[in-house]
Amino acid sequence: MAPSKMLLVCAALIATPGAAFWQPASSLATARPRQLLLRPSTVSATTTTQVVVPTAAAVTTIARPASRRRWVSAGVVGAAAVLLNWRRLLAVLSLAHHAYEAAAVARPLITKASTSGVAYLLGDLLAQRVVASDAAAAKVDRARAARSAVAGFLSLGPQCHFWGLWLDANVRLGGPVATLAAKIVLDQTFFALYLNSVYCVLLEAMKGSSWRAALAQVRATSWPSLRSSWRLWPAVNALTYSVVPQAFRVLWMDFIEIGWVAVL
Protein backbone atom coordinates (compact mmCIF):
# COMPACT_ATOMS: atom_id res chain seq x y z
CA MET A 1 0.00 0.00 0.00
CA ALA A 2 1.30 3.45 -0.90
CA PRO A 3 2.34 5.64 2.06
CA SER A 4 -0.28 8.31 1.23
CA LYS A 5 -3.09 5.75 1.22
CA MET A 6 -1.81 4.27 4.50
CA LEU A 7 -1.88 7.73 6.09
CA LEU A 8 -5.49 8.23 4.94
CA VAL A 9 -6.54 4.89 6.46
CA CYS A 10 -4.86 5.73 9.77
CA ALA A 11 -6.50 9.16 9.82
CA ALA A 12 -9.91 7.61 9.23
CA LEU A 13 -9.40 5.06 12.03
CA ILE A 14 -8.40 7.82 14.42
CA ALA A 15 -11.29 10.12 13.44
CA THR A 16 -14.01 7.46 13.72
CA PRO A 17 -13.74 6.87 17.52
CA GLY A 18 -13.61 10.62 18.02
CA ALA A 19 -16.88 11.06 16.15
CA ALA A 20 -18.45 8.10 17.94
CA PHE A 21 -17.49 9.60 21.28
CA TRP A 22 -20.17 12.21 20.83
CA GLN A 23 -22.89 9.65 20.15
CA PRO A 24 -24.82 8.01 23.03
CA ALA A 25 -23.90 4.41 23.75
CA SER A 26 -27.32 3.12 22.66
CA SER A 27 -27.00 4.70 19.22
CA LEU A 28 -23.53 3.39 18.30
CA ALA A 29 -24.96 0.16 16.99
CA THR A 30 -27.56 1.94 14.88
CA ALA A 31 -25.61 4.98 13.74
CA ARG A 32 -26.48 6.06 10.23
CA PRO A 33 -23.85 7.08 7.66
CA ARG A 34 -25.64 10.37 6.97
CA GLN A 35 -25.14 11.58 10.53
CA LEU A 36 -21.62 12.82 9.70
CA LEU A 37 -20.40 14.35 6.47
CA LEU A 38 -16.80 13.79 5.37
CA ARG A 39 -15.66 16.70 3.22
CA PRO A 40 -12.25 16.74 1.59
CA SER A 41 -10.09 19.76 2.33
CA THR A 42 -6.90 20.33 0.45
CA VAL A 43 -3.77 20.43 2.62
CA SER A 44 -1.31 20.75 -0.20
CA ALA A 45 -1.26 20.45 -3.94
CA THR A 46 -0.80 16.66 -3.79
CA THR A 47 -2.17 15.60 -0.40
CA THR A 48 -5.77 15.58 0.84
CA THR A 49 -7.25 14.60 4.16
CA GLN A 50 -10.73 14.00 5.50
CA VAL A 51 -12.16 16.57 7.89
CA VAL A 52 -15.12 15.51 10.04
CA VAL A 53 -17.81 18.18 9.74
CA PRO A 54 -21.04 17.70 11.75
CA THR A 55 -24.12 18.16 9.62
CA ALA A 56 -27.51 19.47 10.74
CA ALA A 57 -28.74 15.88 10.99
CA ALA A 58 -25.86 15.03 13.30
CA VAL A 59 -26.54 18.02 15.53
CA THR A 60 -30.25 17.11 15.73
CA THR A 61 -29.43 13.46 16.44
CA ILE A 62 -27.11 14.48 19.26
CA ALA A 63 -29.52 17.07 20.69
CA ARG A 64 -32.52 14.77 20.94
CA PRO A 65 -30.85 12.08 23.12
CA ALA A 66 -29.44 14.87 25.28
CA SER A 67 -32.95 16.29 25.71
CA ARG A 68 -34.30 12.86 26.60
CA ARG A 69 -31.51 12.37 29.14
CA ARG A 70 -32.41 15.67 30.79
CA TRP A 71 -36.06 14.61 31.10
CA VAL A 72 -35.06 11.22 32.52
CA SER A 73 -32.68 12.87 34.98
CA ALA A 74 -35.38 15.30 36.07
CA GLY A 75 -37.79 12.39 36.57
CA VAL A 76 -35.28 10.48 38.67
CA VAL A 77 -34.57 13.53 40.83
CA GLY A 78 -38.30 14.17 41.25
CA ALA A 79 -38.98 10.56 42.22
CA ALA A 80 -36.16 10.64 44.76
CA ALA A 81 -37.52 13.87 46.25
CA VAL A 82 -40.97 12.30 46.57
CA LEU A 83 -39.58 9.20 48.28
CA LEU A 84 -37.55 11.25 50.73
CA ASN A 85 -40.40 13.61 51.58
CA TRP A 86 -43.46 11.41 51.19
CA ARG A 87 -45.01 12.35 54.54
CA ARG A 88 -44.82 16.05 53.76
CA LEU A 89 -46.14 15.39 50.26
CA LEU A 90 -49.12 13.48 51.64
CA ALA A 91 -49.90 16.34 54.01
CA VAL A 92 -49.77 18.86 51.15
CA LEU A 93 -51.97 16.65 48.96
CA SER A 94 -54.49 16.26 51.78
CA LEU A 95 -54.70 20.03 52.23
CA ALA A 96 -55.08 20.54 48.48
CA HIS A 97 -57.78 17.85 48.33
CA HIS A 98 -59.91 19.48 51.01
CA ALA A 99 -59.33 22.99 49.63
CA TYR A 100 -60.39 21.97 46.12
CA GLU A 101 -63.43 20.07 47.41
CA ALA A 102 -64.58 23.10 49.39
CA ALA A 103 -64.08 25.40 46.38
CA ALA A 104 -65.83 22.98 43.99
CA VAL A 105 -68.87 22.81 46.28
CA ALA A 106 -69.04 26.54 47.06
CA ARG A 107 -68.12 27.89 43.59
CA PRO A 108 -68.33 24.98 41.14
CA LEU A 109 -68.35 26.92 37.87
CA ILE A 110 -65.34 29.17 38.43
CA THR A 111 -63.37 26.38 40.12
CA LYS A 112 -63.90 23.81 37.37
CA ALA A 113 -63.48 26.37 34.61
CA SER A 114 -60.14 27.42 36.12
CA THR A 115 -58.80 23.88 36.39
CA SER A 116 -59.85 23.17 32.80
CA GLY A 117 -58.16 26.32 31.56
CA VAL A 118 -54.93 25.34 33.31
CA ALA A 119 -55.20 21.79 31.93
CA TYR A 120 -55.58 23.00 28.35
CA LEU A 121 -52.73 25.47 28.81
CA LEU A 122 -50.38 22.78 30.11
CA GLY A 123 -51.49 20.33 27.43
CA ASP A 124 -50.78 22.79 24.63
CA LEU A 125 -47.39 23.72 26.08
CA LEU A 126 -46.58 20.03 26.40
CA ALA A 127 -47.52 19.49 22.77
CA GLN A 128 -45.27 22.34 21.67
CA ARG A 129 -42.20 21.50 23.73
CA VAL A 130 -42.13 17.75 24.25
CA VAL A 131 -44.37 15.87 21.83
CA ALA A 132 -43.38 17.82 18.72
CA SER A 133 -40.00 16.64 17.43
CA ASP A 134 -39.53 19.39 14.87
CA ALA A 135 -36.81 21.84 15.87
CA ALA A 136 -39.04 24.77 14.90
CA ALA A 137 -41.58 23.67 17.52
CA ALA A 138 -39.07 24.35 20.30
CA LYS A 139 -40.21 27.99 20.20
CA VAL A 140 -43.32 28.42 22.31
CA ASP A 141 -46.34 29.93 20.56
CA ARG A 142 -47.78 31.89 23.47
CA ALA A 143 -50.82 33.06 21.50
CA ARG A 144 -51.76 29.48 20.64
CA ALA A 145 -51.34 28.37 24.27
CA ALA A 146 -53.46 31.30 25.46
CA ARG A 147 -56.23 30.46 22.98
CA SER A 148 -56.26 26.85 24.15
CA ALA A 149 -56.45 27.95 27.80
CA VAL A 150 -59.36 30.31 27.11
CA ALA A 151 -61.21 27.60 25.18
CA GLY A 152 -60.73 25.17 28.06
CA PHE A 153 -61.89 27.76 30.59
CA LEU A 154 -65.03 28.70 28.66
CA SER A 155 -65.94 25.33 27.22
CA LEU A 156 -64.76 22.19 29.00
CA GLY A 157 -65.09 23.04 32.69
CA PRO A 158 -68.57 24.59 32.87
CA GLN A 159 -70.14 22.33 30.26
CA CYS A 160 -68.73 19.12 31.76
CA HIS A 161 -70.05 20.24 35.14
CA PHE A 162 -73.62 20.64 33.87
CA TRP A 163 -73.36 17.58 31.65
CA GLY A 164 -72.46 15.37 34.61
CA LEU A 165 -75.35 16.73 36.64
CA TRP A 166 -77.76 16.11 33.75
CA LEU A 167 -76.57 12.53 33.27
CA ASP A 168 -76.96 11.71 36.97
CA ALA A 169 -80.45 13.17 37.07
CA ASN A 170 -81.88 11.81 33.82
CA VAL A 171 -80.07 8.63 32.75
CA ARG A 172 -81.30 5.70 34.82
CA LEU A 173 -81.81 2.28 33.30
CA GLY A 174 -82.48 -1.17 34.77
CA GLY A 175 -79.26 -1.44 36.76
CA PRO A 176 -75.94 0.28 37.51
CA VAL A 177 -74.09 -1.46 34.66
CA ALA A 178 -76.71 -0.50 32.07
CA THR A 179 -76.86 3.06 33.42
CA LEU A 180 -73.08 3.40 33.25
CA ALA A 181 -73.01 2.01 29.70
CA ALA A 182 -75.71 4.47 28.60
CA LYS A 183 -73.79 7.41 30.10
CA ILE A 184 -70.62 6.38 28.30
CA VAL A 185 -72.44 6.01 24.97
CA LEU A 186 -74.08 9.41 25.28
CA ASP A 187 -70.84 11.02 26.38
CA GLN A 188 -68.80 9.54 23.55
CA THR A 189 -71.24 10.35 20.76
CA PHE A 190 -73.41 13.44 21.11
CA PHE A 191 -71.49 15.24 23.83
CA ALA A 192 -68.04 14.50 22.37
CA LEU A 193 -69.09 15.87 18.97
CA TYR A 194 -70.61 18.92 20.65
CA LEU A 195 -67.48 19.65 22.72
CA ASN A 196 -65.21 19.30 19.71
CA SER A 197 -67.40 21.67 17.70
CA VAL A 198 -67.46 24.32 20.43
CA TYR A 199 -63.71 24.02 20.94
CA CYS A 200 -62.97 24.47 17.22
CA VAL A 201 -65.35 27.41 16.88
CA LEU A 202 -63.79 29.15 19.89
CA LEU A 203 -60.26 28.68 18.57
CA GLU A 204 -61.17 29.93 15.11
CA ALA A 205 -63.04 32.90 16.56
CA MET A 206 -60.02 33.91 18.64
CA LYS A 207 -57.87 33.65 15.51
CA GLY A 208 -60.21 36.03 13.72
CA SER A 209 -61.33 33.43 11.19
CA SER A 210 -64.64 33.61 9.39
CA TRP A 211 -67.70 31.59 10.37
CA ARG A 212 -67.29 29.51 7.21
CA ALA A 213 -63.69 28.67 8.14
CA ALA A 214 -64.81 27.65 11.62
CA LEU A 215 -67.47 25.32 10.21
CA ALA A 216 -64.93 23.83 7.82
CA GLN A 217 -62.62 23.13 10.75
CA VAL A 218 -65.46 21.48 12.66
CA ARG A 219 -66.28 19.22 9.71
CA ALA A 220 -62.62 18.34 9.18
CA THR A 221 -61.93 17.38 12.80
CA SER A 222 -65.19 15.90 14.06
CA TRP A 223 -64.87 12.32 12.86
CA PRO A 224 -61.07 11.96 13.41
CA SER A 225 -61.40 13.42 16.90
CA LEU A 226 -64.33 11.19 17.77
CA ARG A 227 -62.58 8.08 16.49
CA SER A 228 -59.44 8.92 18.45
CA SER A 229 -61.40 9.58 21.64
CA TRP A 230 -62.85 6.07 21.53
CA ARG A 231 -59.35 4.71 22.21
CA LEU A 232 -59.16 6.34 25.64
CA TRP A 233 -62.25 8.13 26.93
CA PRO A 234 -64.68 5.20 27.32
CA ALA A 235 -62.32 3.72 29.92
CA VAL A 236 -61.84 7.13 31.56
CA ASN A 237 -65.58 7.74 31.70
CA ALA A 238 -66.19 4.29 33.15
CA LEU A 239 -64.31 5.55 36.21
CA THR A 240 -65.71 9.09 35.96
CA TYR A 241 -69.36 8.02 36.23
CA SER A 242 -68.86 5.16 38.69
CA VAL A 243 -66.22 5.84 41.34
CA VAL A 244 -65.17 9.51 41.04
CA PRO A 245 -67.23 11.86 43.26
CA GLN A 246 -69.21 14.58 41.50
CA ALA A 247 -67.06 17.39 42.91
CA PHE A 248 -63.87 15.84 41.49
CA ARG A 249 -65.06 14.62 38.10
CA VAL A 250 -63.95 17.66 36.12
CA LEU A 251 -60.60 17.73 37.95
CA TRP A 252 -60.10 14.02 37.16
CA MET A 253 -60.86 14.64 33.49
CA ASP A 254 -58.57 17.68 33.49
CA PHE A 255 -55.60 15.51 34.47
CA ILE A 256 -56.34 13.23 31.52
CA GLU A 257 -56.92 16.24 29.28
CA ILE A 258 -53.34 17.45 29.80
CA GLY A 259 -51.97 14.46 27.93
CA TRP A 260 -54.94 14.27 25.57
CA VAL A 261 -54.62 17.87 24.39
CA ALA A 262 -50.88 17.31 23.84
CA VAL A 263 -51.48 14.27 21.64
CA LEU A 264 -54.51 15.74 19.88
Side-chain angles (χ1 to χ4, degrees):
M1 180 181 295
S4 59
K5 293 184 178 180
M6 185 175 297
L7 288 174
L8 289 176
V9 172
C10 293
L13 292 175
I14 294 173
T16 301
F21 174 78
W22 298 100
Q23 299 292 331
S26 60
S27 65
L28 292 179
T30 59
R32 293 170 291 181
R34 66 183 180 88
Q35 289 177 348
L36 293 176
L37 175 64
L38 298 179
R39 282 199 307 207
S41 66
T42 303
V43 176
S44 64
T46 58
T47 306
T48 60
T49 184
Q50 299 289 331
V51 179
V52 179
V53 180
T55 63
V59 174
T60 303
T61 306
I62 295 171
R64 289 178 186 171
S67 178
R68 287 194 293 268
R69 286 196 296 270
R70 286 195 295 269
W71 280 96
V72 171
S73 300
V76 171
V77 172
V82 169
L83 291 176
L84 293 175
N85 300 278
W86 63 273
R87 287 190 178 89
R88 184 176 299 176
L89 178 63
L90 287 179
V92 171
L93 290 177
S94 178
L95 289 175
H97 172 272
H98 293 298
Y100 179 85
E101 184 178 22
V105 172
R107 296 177 295 276
L109 286 181
I110 189 63
T111 300
K112 296 175 183 181
S114 299
T115 56
S116 296
V118 172
Y120 270 72
L121 174 65
L122 293 178
D124 190 83
L125 292 175
L126 185 65
Q128 294 189 51
R129 297 300 299 271
V130 179
V131 177
S133 58
D134 187 9
K139 185 178 179 180
V140 176
D141 187 347
R142 293 183 176 88
R144 168 183 150 174
R147 288 193 297 267
S148 185
V150 172
F153 180 87
L154 296 177
S155 175
L156 182 74
Q159 295 185 95
C160 286
H161 167 70
F162 288 114
W163 174 248
L165 293 177
W166 186 87
L167 287 178
D168 289 344
N170 296 280
V171 180
R172 295 178 183 176
L173 299 182
V177 175
T179 300
L180 177 61
K183 290 180 179 180
I184 294 174
V185 169
L186 290 173
D187 190 281
Q188 288 303 295
T189 52
F190 300 105
F191 190 63
L193 287 172
Y194 167 74
L195 270 185
N196 178 76
S197 301
V198 174
Y199 182 73
C200 290
V201 169
L202 284 174
L203 289 182
E204 294 301 320
M206 285 184 283
K207 291 179 184 177
S209 303
S210 64
W211 179 250
R212 182 174 298 178
L215 292 180
Q217 183 69 10
V218 170
R219 286 193 296 267
T221 60
S222 292
W223 173 242
S225 176
L226 186 64
R227 186 173 54 187
S228 298
S229 70
W230 290 343
R231 302 174 184 176
L232 172 67
W233 286 98
V236 173
N237 288 331
L239 297 175
T240 302
Y241 298 123
S242 61
V243 299
V244 179
Q246 175 65 247
F248 292 95
R249 285 181 181 176
V250 175
L251 180 63
W252 153 250
M253 289 187 288
D254 286 338
F255 277 110
I256 308 299
E257 285 285 350
I258 294 175
W260 178 249
V261 172
V263 173
L264 185 63

